[in-house]
C-alpha cells in the first residue's frame, strides 16, 4: 500500500538514517518509488536510453537529499540540498543524461556537483566522472557520500568550474548543472570532437542547450526546453 507508506514517511514516522544500510523491506520500498519515478516521470516523457533508465533505477536518490526532505526524494520536482542550492527534478537529470549520449568508459565532466546525484547516475552508467563544485562544504559532503556508497569512478574537486579540468580533458560529454549567461570558453575547448555539452544558459529565462563539437572550431548548438537552474557563480560573472 504505497500511499499509506508515503503518508507515514511524510508524517516523519520513519527515520532511516543516512548510511544507506536500510532493511530489505525499506530497500524494496525505495526501489519501488524509483521504478515508479522512472516509468511515470522520465520514460513517460520520452527519455528512452536504456542505460540511462537503468542507472536512474539503481541510484538511491533518497540518500542524496537531506533527511527532512527524504520522503519526497522521488517526487516530480527539485529539492533543497543546503546552501540555497537544489538537486534537479528527476526528469531533468534523465533528460540531460540522455542528451550527453555517453557510453560506459567515457570521460565526463560535470560542473556543479551539488549533492553528487547527477555524478552518481553517470558513474552508474560506467562513465569516468570528473565533477567540480564551487561550494567547498557541498563538494566535501558529496565526495564523502559517493565514496560511502561505493562509487569509485567519480573524482570530486572543490573550486570554480569555469576553467574546467584541463588535466583530464578532452571529455566525451560535459554537463553543467548551474546556469551561466554565456558558455565558458575553457569548457568548449575541453569537449572532445564528436562530444556533447548539455548546459542551461540564461539568467531569469534559461534555455537548456546541447552544443556538439563537430570540429576544432565548429560548435553547432540546439535549444531543448526552457529550464530553471541556480546561477553559475564565480569567474563567469566577471567576464563580459
Ligand atoms: N548536479 C547537482 C545539482 C547541482 S545545483 C546534483 O545532482 O545534486 C548547482 C550547483 O552548482 C550548486 O551546488 C552550486 O554551488 C554549483 N555551482 C555554481 N557555480 C559553480 C561554478 N562556477 N563551479 C562549480 N560549481 C558551481
Amino acid at each position: 500500500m504505497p500511499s499509506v507508506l508515503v503518508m507515514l514517511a511524510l508524517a516523519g514516522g520513519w527515520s532511516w538514517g543516512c548510511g544507506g544500510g536500510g532493511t530489505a523491506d525499506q530497500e524494496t520500498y525505495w526501489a519501488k518509488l524509483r521504478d515508479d519515478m522512472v516509468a511515470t516521470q522520465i520514460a513517460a516523457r520520452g527519455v528512452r536510453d536504456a542505460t540511462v533508465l537503468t542507472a536512474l533505477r539503481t541510484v538511491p536518490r533518497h540518500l542524496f537529499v537531506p533527511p527532512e526532505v527524504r520522503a519526497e526524494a522521488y517526487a516530480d520536482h527539485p529539492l533543497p540540498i543546503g546552501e540555497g542550492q537544489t538537486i534537479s527534478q528527476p526528469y531533468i537529470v534523465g533528460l540531460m543524461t540522455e542528451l550527453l549520449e555517453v557510453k560506459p568508459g567515457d570521460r565526463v565532466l560535470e560542473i556543479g556537483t551539488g549533492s553528487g546525484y547527477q555524478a552518481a547516475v553517470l558513474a552508474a552508467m560506467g562513465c569516468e566522472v570528473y565533477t567540480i563544485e564551487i561550494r567547498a562544504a557541498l563538494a566535501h559532503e558529496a565526495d564523502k557520500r559517493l565514496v560511502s556508497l561505493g562509487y569509485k569512478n567519480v573524482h570530486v574537486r572543490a573550486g570554480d568550474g569555469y576553467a574546467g579540468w584541463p588535466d583530464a580533458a578532452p571529455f566525451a560529454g560535459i554537463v553543467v548543472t548551474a546556469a551561466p549567461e554565456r558558455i565558458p570558453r575553457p569548457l568548449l575547448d575541453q569537449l572532445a570532437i564528436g562530444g556533447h555539452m548539455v548546459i542551461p544558459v540564461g539568467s531569469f529565462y534559461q534555455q537548456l542547450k546541447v552544443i556538439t563539437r563537430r570540429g576544432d572550431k565548429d560548435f553547432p548548438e540546439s535549444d531543448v526546453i526552457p529550464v530553471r537552474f541556480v546561477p553559475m557563480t564565480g569567474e563567469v560573472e566577471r567576464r563580459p
Side-chain angles (χ1 to χ4, degrees):
M1 267 187 283
S3 57
V4 174
L5 294 180
V6 168
M7 279 167 51
L8 279 173
L10 284 172
W14 288 343
S15 157
W16 292 345
C18 48
T23 67
D25 272 3
Q26 290 160 1
E27 292 313 316
T28 308
Y29 166 77
W30 292 119
K32 164 84 168 78
L33 289 190
R34 264 196 305 280
D35 284 352
D36 289 351
M37 169 192 86
V38 170
T40 64
Q41 301 171 33
I42 301 174
R45 294 190 180 121
V47 174
R48 290 280 176 267
D49 187 316
T51 321
V52 175
L53 297 179
T54 302
L56 290 164
R57 280 192 204 97
T58 60
V59 178
R61 181 171 161 98
H62 61 285
L63 299 179
F64 289 81
V65 300
E68 57 274 19
V69 296
R70 188 150 294 156
E72 292 174 74
Y74 298 98
D76 195 11
H77 52 72
L79 287 168
I81 53 168
E83 300 213 10
Q85 308 305 307
T86 53
I87 180 173
S88 302
Q89 178 189 7
Y91 167 63
I92 294 295
V93 176
L95 176 65
M96 291 175 81
T97 310
E98 179 172 69
L99 290 168
L100 280 171
E101 291 184 40
V102 287
K103 51 182 194 320
D106 280 348
R107 271 204 310 278
V108 182
L109 174 66
E110 178 191 27
I111 307 302
T113 314
S115 68
Y117 177 68
Q118 169 75 74
V121 170
L122 288 161
M125 291 169 62
C127 297
E128 196 65 32
V129 187
Y130 294 80
T131 181
I132 309 176
E133 169 56 54
I134 201 164
R135 292 172 183 267
L138 288 180
H140 180 66
E141 263 179 59
D143 194 18
K144 259 192 353 201
R145 178 178 295 126
L146 290 160
V147 168
S148 78
L149 291 173
Y151 294 99
K152 295 193 171 52
N153 43 341
V154 185
H155 314 268
V156 182
R157 178 181 277 180
D160 189 338
Y162 182 89
W165 198 314
D167 297 351
F171 298 97
I174 300 181
V175 58
V176 183
T177 64
E181 287 189 35
R182 267 172 298 276
I183 300 171
R185 182 76 227 177
L187 297 183
L188 291 169
D189 290 338
Q190 290 170 35
L191 192 60
I193 307 275
H196 304 288
M197 177 187 298
V198 180
I199 180 170
V201 182
S203 47
F204 189 81
Y205 295 100
Q206 301 164 6
Q207 269 295 328
L208 186 65
K209 290 177 183 282
V210 177
I211 291 105
T212 304
R213 186 171 202 174
R214 273 219 209 105
D216 223 24
K217 294 192 161 53
D218 185 12
F219 293 91
E221 64 173 64
S222 59
D223 288 354
V224 186
I225 46 165
V227 284
R228 202 73 220 280
F229 278 80
V230 297
M232 185 168 175
T233 56
E235 181 71 17
V236 76
E237 299 172 295
R238 296 186 282 275
R239 299 271 169 156

